[in-house]
Amino acid sequence: MSSEGSPVGRRVVLGMVGLGALGVATGAWVQRGVNRALGPVGSGISGIVPAAGGFRFYTVTGPVKRIAPADYHLRVRGLVERPRSYSFADLQHALPQTRMTDTFHCVTGWNVPNVAWEGVALPDLLDAVGVRPGARGVRFTSFDGTYTESLTMEQARRRDVIVATGMLGGPVSHDHGGPVRMYVAPMYGYKSTKWLSGIEVVGDVRPGYWEERGYDVDAWVGRSNGYTS
Ligand SMILES: Nc1nc2c(c(=O)[nH]1)N[C@H]1C(S)=C(S)[C@@H](COP(=O)(O)O)O[C@H]1N2
Ligand SMILES: [Mo]
């Protein structure tokens, strides 16, 4: 487990771009070793999807409790017509399913190409509960008890923002934030809340965990946090 590190401001992020190559190469190599060591024999997740080896597992807390899919619930509340709690089965069967594959970008410089995701597009979930007038943002909470994130309503309505029940061709592993995590494709990884426990529709966007520590609230890949390419 590694944390994202100390609070990172614009200048620090810029400096890290230069240092990135060595860090990313080392991290990927170490992570591949970890995947080989921990992967169930024959599951071959890292073999089927070699790119998975490029991930680093992040948590800003200590060990996070494990929740089995059968015990999982996602609370959707706030400025909605029909607040409700979705079981894992509800997320897989009661709502339209979306799949996509894209590169995963952490703001600290590592990327993982061709990561496959599946789950419920956030706009489909928002339509199911009915967004009330005055809603301007969506807030995400984690059952790690600490991490939070937010999107504007416009961002939350994108079809490449997914409540993910699957990743890399299988379930979302515990270390990747399973059984359910967010995946916000067009933005840096910190927008993608792991161990998702709640989605709250709110009147105003509140900065998330890393944003209170210096990251940009609008985290577009390539044009935020000091990146301009
Ligand atoms: N709950 C929680 N979600 C989180 C984080 C975290 O520390 N805790 N880190 C974020 C960051 S900075 C990144 S890059 C991705 C990393 O996802 P991974 O751990 O599956 O590689 O998760 C994001 N979501
Ligand atoms: Mo990140």
Side-chain angles (χ1 to χ4, degrees):
M1 293 289 174
S2 56
S3 77
E4 187 88 321
S6 49
V8 179
R10 189 171 294 266
R11 261 171 308 173
V12 181
V13 171
L14 280 169
M16 289 162 81
V17 178
L19 294 172
L22 181 60
V24 168
T26 307
W29 184 84
V30 169
Q31 195 66 64
R32 267 194 297 277
V34 170
N35 286 349
R36 265 199 303 276
L38 299 182
V41 176
S43 77
I45 292 217
S46 57
I48 295 164
V49 189
F55 273 101
R56 299 175 188 191
F57 294 122
Y58 279 150
T59 175
V60 297
T61 64
V64 176
K65 68 178 169 185
R66 285 171 186 269
I67 298 186
D71 299 323
Y72 179 81
H73 286 278
L74 173 65
R75 284 185 70 195
V76 185
R77 60 205 169 99
L79 296 173
V80 298
E81 307 287 355
R82 295 170 293 279
R84 71 167 277 189
S85 177
Y86 288 90
S87 69
F88 191 82
D90 291 336
L91 291 174
Q92 284 195 313
H93 303 295
L95 290 163
Q97 300 296 295
T98 294
R99 290 165 190 267
M100 67 173 292
T101 298
D102 205 345
T103 302
F104 188 88
H105 305 262
C106 175
V107 71
T108 59
W110 55 270
N111 302 320
V112 185
N114 301 318
V115 182
W117 299 87
E118 55 188 89
V120 180
L122 187 55
D124 291 336
L125 183 71
L126 293 174
D127 286 346
V129 293
V131 171
R132 291 194 349 223
R136 304 247 304 274
V138 177
R139 181 170 167 82
F140 306 90
T141 51
S142 170
F143 61 81
D144 70 9
T146 301
Y147 205 81
T148 59
E149 254 305 333
S150 293
L151 293 172
T152 66
M153 188 54 70
E154 188 186 2
Q155 293 162 359
R157 289 258 181 221
R158 293 177 59 112
R159 297 209 56 83
D160 55 0
V161 175
I162 295 174
V163 178
T165 53
M167 178 184 176
L168 299 168
V172 180
S173 71
H174 176 74
D175 287 342
H176 276 307
V180 178
R181 72 174 292 170
M182 287 304 302
Y183 173 55
V184 181
M187 295 194 176
Y188 287 115
Y190 64 90
K191 300 304 283 192
S192 297
T193 303
K194 307 203 303 180
W195 306 293
L196 184 69
S197 59
I199 294 179
E200 186 182 4
V201 178
V202 292
D204 282 299
V205 173
R206 260 181 290 167
Y209 179 91
W210 281 116
E211 293 147 13
E212 285 174 336
R213 291 160 177 78
Y215 287 2
D216 288 352
V217 175
D218 291 322
W220 304 108
V221 171
R223 49 193 172 97
S224 67
N225 294 284
Y227 294 90
T228 51
S229 58

